[in-house]
Amino acid sequence: MSERGGEAAPGPSPAPVANRGAITATVICACVMQGLDTTIVNVCLPHIQGSMSAAQDQISWVLTSYIVASAIMMPLTGWLAGRFGVKYIFVASVVGFTIASALCGAATSLSQLVLYRLLQGICSAGLVPLGQATLFTIYPREKHGQAMAIFSTGAMMGPILGPTLGGWLTDNFDWRWCFYINLPVGALCALGIAVFLRPSRQMRRDPFDLFGFAMLSLAVGALQLMLDRGQTKDWFRSSEIWVEATVSALCFYLLIVHTITAGERSFLNKELLKSPNFTAGSILMFGVGLILSGTLALMPSMMQVLMNYPVFDAGWMMAPRGFGTMLAMFFVARMIDRVDFRLFILVGFLLTAASLWQMTGYSLLMGSGPILFAGFAQGFGLGCTFVPLNLLALSGLPSHILTQGTALRALMRMLGGSIGIAILETQLAQNTQIVHSRLVEGLRPDNPLAQAPFMPPGFDLTTPHGLAALNQEVTRQAAMIGYIDDFALMLIVVLASLPLLLLVRVPRRRAVAAAADD
């Protein structure tokens, strides 16, 4: 293919059709395996805490170590793939992830588990960007929409199915099987990549930008530490949080200055920032990560703690989100070449907003119907946005920065999820306390409504048992309002993201077709 519009020619020509299906299946398995581990541990975390005899603030490092390591290593994937080749880094990532999963399952102490989760996060960083870049290179340009629909199904099904699978494994076996489940899948993925994927034809020998990587690592690591420990340290009333915030902001500033002034030696390629589609799409993907991870973190705890659903029931009730996502992926794949990409994104965000608006009407007296319906609608809406966002942001990138572009977009989604969870959990805790204090204002002995026969049986202001039961119910009601406030905040984020669609430029169909035929 010749160069068009100043873009570099793409990399290796598409693989033979016989191998393309096998490579696609292998990539999807790797992405599903990685996606499962981002959420499957959330369900079994209380069981791990009891098994390890860990405190609440200590057990959170099981999640944080994985997120921090993956976020720091993800942008490095592009340089490693260009230096050593996509195939070899892909195989190394899958093998390392599988070994780390086995070590996590065999961990006998909290320190061991955190260390192995750190290794697991390092190895998982390359699975999604390398898989996405691989599909872009083995499929011709006119089939990128179908390829991204298939990839997006795998990438989003992992986090959605994680709670269901984690609940079933924890109920029927043990929390360690949430890690052991990766072993057979990882072995098959490594074998498939080694057998079917061809080595890259061109190897870039760019020097490693140690300063840029160090600044990005420190910025992301300090930010994640601040978000993870902010609630327990009372945020900016703590000197530790101030130090972490200052380090993160300073390192981000130095990274931006270094990227602008270092030229081609920079760890991050400036060509990515010159693409308005990549910039706008990455910001929108940040919002998608916030909504996806936020709801996946809030809903299981809401159902288990407030509505007394068993862990398995709370898991499978998240399944309609997955069915909605799959249905949207197949629909978008068939219509992507006929409809403006921005229309899919607009419809998807509006459906997501509608489902969040419905969730602001949740109550403790409702059945499972509203949860299932809102989950399906939200999954369908997010599924409509994922494929067009990937195509708009990545299709126009030169091949030599494609892997880095996919890695940075995956990083934006992960940061959106981690920042969103921290904000939502903080707001949930604070609003629960505020509403609780307001509700108890009326629970006084001189209030006739707080006396029999108006007070339900079991609640009594004059006995310790009655006071404890009453306080528990007030906390439950206050927490429900806190969850509703979180859903309202996510609704505002979705609506505030819509103006970014005005920055997106849709490529001409004829130009794309011509490039595909070249």
Side-chain angles (χ1 to χ4, degrees), residues 156-401:
M156 297 189 72
M157 284 300 295
I160 290 172
L161 293 179
T164 305
L165 181 59
W168 184 79
L169 289 172
T170 303
D171 269 354
N172 293 276
F173 299 96
D174 187 66
W175 64 264
R176 299 180 185 275
W177 281 96
C178 293
F179 297 105
Y180 290 146
I181 193 67
N182 293 327
L183 302 187
V185 181
L188 289 176
C189 290
L191 181 63
I193 296 170
V195 172
F196 298 110
L197 189 61
R198 295 182 299 177
S200 304
R201 293 181 180 178
Q202 297 179 352
M203 307 282 284
R204 294 177 60 85
R205 300 294 180 183
D206 296 336
F208 180 64
D209 182 13
L210 179 60
F211 180 81
F213 174 70
M215 291 300 100
L216 181 63
S217 301
L218 288 173
V220 173
L223 176 63
Q224 187 60 49
L225 284 174
M226 183 191 74
L227 295 174
D228 183 68
R229 295 175 60 82
Q231 179 64 26
T232 59
K233 294 293 182 178
D234 200 16
W235 291 102
F236 289 100
R237 290 188 175 92
S238 168
S239 57
E240 176 189 335
I241 301 302
W242 273 108
V243 170
E244 291 164 353
T246 302
V247 170
S248 180
L250 179 60
C251 290
F252 270 123
Y253 170 76
L254 293 176
L255 176 65
I256 294 173
V257 173
H258 178 71
T259 301
I260 295 174
T261 58
E264 296 183 356
R265 298 180 292 105
S266 174
F267 181 70
L268 300 180
N269 198 304
K270 290 190 295 185
E271 294 184 50
L272 294 172
L273 302 180
K274 295 178 181 179
S275 172
N277 280 4
F278 180 82
T279 302
S282 297
I283 298 175
L284 288 170
M285 188 57 70
F286 182 92
V288 170
L290 188 152
I291 303 303
L292 178 63
S293 300
T295 50
L296 287 175
L298 292 175
M299 291 302 297
S301 63
M302 187 192 77
M303 288 186 286
Q304 292 181 62
V305 176
L306 301 187
M307 300 181 176
N308 297 321
Y309 282 101
V311 60
F312 177 68
D313 290 346
W316 75 257
M317 287 179 66
M318 304 294 290
R321 295 169 57 89
F323 293 122
T325 301
M326 290 182 62
L327 182 62
M329 296 295 185
F330 289 123
F331 173 74
V332 171
R334 297 182 64 89
M335 301 294 294
I336 194 68
D337 294 326
R338 307 175 189 176
V339 182
D340 191 325
F341 293 167
R342 292 171 296 186
L343 182 60
F344 281 120
I345 300 174
L346 177 62
V347 171
F349 270 59
L350 291 178
L351 281 175
T352 304
S355 67
L356 290 169
W357 178 78
Q358 181 197 353
M359 293 167 70
T360 59
Y362 279 0
S363 74
L364 294 172
L365 301 178
M366 67 180 183
S368 60
I371 298 177
L372 299 176
F373 180 80
F376 178 84
Q378 193 172 115
F380 191 92
L382 292 176
C384 287
T385 64
F386 208 77
V387 175
L389 279 176
N390 280 331
L391 287 175
L392 286 172
L394 301 176
S395 290
L397 294 181
S399 60
H400 66 279
I401 61 172

Side-chain angles (χ1 to χ4, degrees), residues 90-100 123 127 186 190:
F90 209 166
V91 170
S93 298
V94 172
V95 172
F97 185 86
T98 306
I99 295 175
C123 297
L127 298 182

Side-chain angles (χ1 to χ4, degrees), residues 400-419:
H400 66 279
I401 61 172
L402 182 59
T403 303
Q404 186 177 109
T406 57
L408 288 178
R409 281 178 51 75
L411 173 62
M412 289 297 291
R413 189 179 71 171
M414 181 171 293
L415 287 179
S418 61
I419 293 174

